[in-house]
Amino acid sequence: MPAERVIHELRRLLADAGLSGSFLVRDLSTGEEAAIDADRELPIASLVKLPLAIAVLDRVRTGRIDGARTVTVQPGRVTSPGPTGLSRFRHPARIAVEDLLYLALAISDNTAGDALFGLVPPAEVQRTLRDAGLAGITVRHLLHELSDTPAERFAPDEARLAQSLAIDRGTPGRGHAIPQLDVGRANTGTARAFVDLLEALWVPGRIHAEVARPVRSLMAANVIRHRLAPDFGADSAVWSSKTGTLLNLRHEVGVVEHGDGTAVAVAALTESSVPAAVQPAAEAAMARVARALHDHVRADGRTAPW
């Protein structure tokens, strides 16, 4: 099927699910790629933990941070649905830096992430990306701001109101009344920028092996498996990823490593126009689109479809 027709059909699938977004799939062996609005900038929510982990591990590698150093973390005491790990703790805890990295990446713990930001502030994370030659991701603020949105101010049975605000209060220039959704104030990125970051983690060169290896391992340990994993995980393949979720935003970026030795990077950043917090149809549509782009790239690269 011609690429233009594939993209047209996938855009329609997204629209039927109330979604729009930024997608890019790249075969890391051949460079073949397929995209839908790959350069569209969106707030990235918890995807910011990937560049954060790279910055922290780079400092562990050079001895500026001791990975075994323990940090006293104050409890998040979050009671609203969603946040995990230390964000829900009721009491202080002492945790090693390397264990904070596991909590931040594998279970997407925002409190653990902010403890790491206490060691490497946003400006330093941004500098690490720049030094690695990685552009298109902007790191501006800590993760606790993701827990200060209308979703936390409404009762659980009023989640629709928070989602409506997220959908309706944006501007044509990508500004937003909710700061975490304003591309001029939020942590932001594009599908292309995240695929470039994934390529730097999987293909030796821009990121030191002693940094890339543990990040890949932590991504493989990701316990959030309901979004793209059902379409990419298999006995013959390994899916390593990081998700990001905030109000009407649903993201996931990762790499599928096939049994034949090839690896394909996938980035799916979406926003929904449906005012509902739980949208299994949107999750399924994201995965179908990402998988279809993957299969198209693999076919174009003349490798056997998987």
Side-chain angles (χ1 to χ4, degrees):
M1 185 183 294
E4 296 81 3
R5 184 177 172 190
V6 170
I7 299 304
H8 175 76
E9 292 296 325
L10 295 181
R11 285 185 186 275
R12 187 170 67 178
L13 192 158
L14 288 170
D16 288 346
L19 294 176
S20 61
S22 178
F23 286 75
L24 183 66
V25 174
R26 180 184 298 158
D27 187 320
L28 300 182
S29 302
T30 66
E32 294 283 342
E33 60 180 42
I36 298 174
D37 297 333
D39 298 305
R40 177 179 174 182
E41 186 179 24
L42 287 165
I44 57 176
S46 285
L47 295 185
V48 75
K49 292 165 187 166
L50 274 178
L52 170 61
I54 291 168
V56 171
L57 283 165
D58 187 61
R59 284 151 181 79
V60 171
R61 176 185 69 84
T62 57
R64 287 174 285 175
I65 294 176
D66 182 353
R69 169 187 169 185
T70 58
V71 178
T72 299
V73 182
Q74 297 303 315
R77 295 192 174 124
V78 173
T79 58
S80 59
T84 58
L86 299 172
S87 300
R88 307 194 78 84
F89 273 32
R90 310 298 297 176
H91 306 284
R94 289 187 63 80
I95 302 176
V97 169
E98 289 177 341
D99 293 330
L100 288 170
L101 283 163
Y102 167 76
L103 292 172
L105 261 66
I107 69 169
S108 204
D109 184 333
N110 287 349
T111 298
D114 275 347
L116 296 170
F117 267 129
L119 302 174
V120 186
E124 289 297 310
V125 175
Q126 191 72 58
R127 184 173 294 111
T128 300
L129 291 174
R130 185 173 66 246
D131 290 347
L134 295 167
I137 297 172
T138 302
V139 183
R140 295 185 174 100
H141 63 74
L142 306 184
L143 286 154
H144 76 266
E145 296 188 26
L146 301 182
S147 297
D148 184 23
T149 72
E152 286 70 44
R153 296 169 197 160
F154 291 115
D157 60 355
E158 296 177 318
R160 184 182 181 90
L161 297 176
Q163 295 292 325
S164 295
L165 285 173
I167 294 164
D168 297 336
R169 297 299 298 275
T171 70
R174 307 293 297 163
H176 207 286
I178 299 173
Q180 298 89 338
L181 300 180
D182 185 332
V183 297
R185 293 182 283 176
N187 297 326
T188 62
T190 66
R192 187 175 307 281
F194 273 97
V195 165
D196 288 344
L197 183 148
L198 293 170
E199 183 169 6
L201 287 169
W202 260 260
V203 178
R206 286 186 284 184
I207 296 177
H208 197 283
E210 292 178 18
V211 175
R213 190 182 308 112
V215 174
R216 295 196 304 267
S217 178
L218 289 167
M219 292 175 67
N222 182 12
V223 302
I224 303 173
R225 312 291 290 180
H226 69 282
R227 191 159 288 166
L228 300 190
D231 278 74
F232 286 102
D235 289 345
S236 60
V238 176
W239 172 244
S240 306
S241 71
K242 180 71 192 76
T243 59
T245 309
L246 177 68
L247 293 171
N248 66 326
L249 303 178
R250 290 169 176 79
H251 308 325
E252 186 161 1
V253 303
V255 170
V256 55
E257 297 174 88
H258 295 286
D260 63 6
T262 60
V264 180
V266 179
L269 282 62
T270 74
E271 59 182 351
S272 174
S273 60
V274 178
V278 179
Q279 295 185 45
E283 312 278 1
M286 283 179 65
R288 285 181 61 192
V289 169
R291 175 58 188 267
L293 292 171
H294 164 279
D295 290 352
H296 186 71
V297 162
R298 294 266 286 177
D300 277 0
R302 291 183 295 279
T303 55
W306 167 77

